[in-house]
């Protein structure tokens, strides 16, 4: 079991939260499942890259707390470039 602040746990819970919110909004995005599968297969860096591409492609709004979790996971993975290159911060809603 991963610690709650591990990159895997942070990314998994954030991805699940975004996916749940999208379902409630009537916008289920099935490709979110692939992100969870990557995390489950210890491919967390690839999962982060995939998630930010999904957010960018589908123009998914993310909450500040979700973004903060993504930043924390990316920092621990030394992969902040994933967030910065896609400009995911432009999708933050307040």
């Amino acid at each position: 079991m991963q610690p709650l602040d591990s990159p895997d746990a942070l990314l998994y819970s954030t991805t699940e939260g975004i996916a749940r919110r999208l379902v409630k909004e009537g916008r289920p995005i099935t490709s979110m499942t692939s992100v969870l599968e990557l995390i489950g297969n210890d491919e967390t860096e690839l999962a982060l890259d995939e998630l930010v591409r999904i957010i960018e492609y589908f123009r998914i709004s993310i909450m500040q707390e979700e973004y903060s979790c993504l930043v924390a996971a990316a920092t621990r993975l030394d992969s902040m470039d994933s967030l910065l290159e896609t400009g995911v911060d432009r999708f933050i809603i307040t």
Side-chain angles (χ1 to χ4, degrees):
M1 183 172 180
Q2 296 289 331
L4 295 178
D5 64 344
S6 73
D8 296 18
L10 285 169
L11 191 56
Y12 196 93
S13 65
T14 303
T15 302
E16 275 192 324
I18 293 170
R20 275 194 304 271
R21 185 167 40 81
L22 291 171
V23 168
K24 286 180 184 176
E25 293 172 0
R27 292 182 58 202
I29 298 177
T30 57
S31 53
M32 298 291 271
T33 304
S34 66
V35 176
L36 298 174
E37 289 171 357
L38 286 168
I39 297 166
N41 291 324
D42 291 328
E43 298 287 348
T44 308
E45 287 184 49
L46 289 174
L48 177 62
D49 291 342
E50 180 72 9
L51 179 59
V52 295
R53 282 194 291 274
I54 291 169
I55 290 169
E56 181 181 36
Y57 180 81
F58 290 101
R59 303 180 106 26
I60 297 170
S61 298
I62 56 173
M63 298 180 176
Q64 180 64 52
E65 181 181 336
E66 294 166 340
Y67 182 74
S68 296
C69 288
L70 293 177
V71 168
T75 300
R76 287 176 177 89
L77 292 168
D78 196 26
S79 294
M80 274 303 292
D81 57 326
S82 294
L83 296 178
L84 300 175
E85 289 173 4
T86 57
V88 169
D89 59 334
R90 68 181 179 225
F91 298 108
I92 297 173
I93 55 174
T94 54

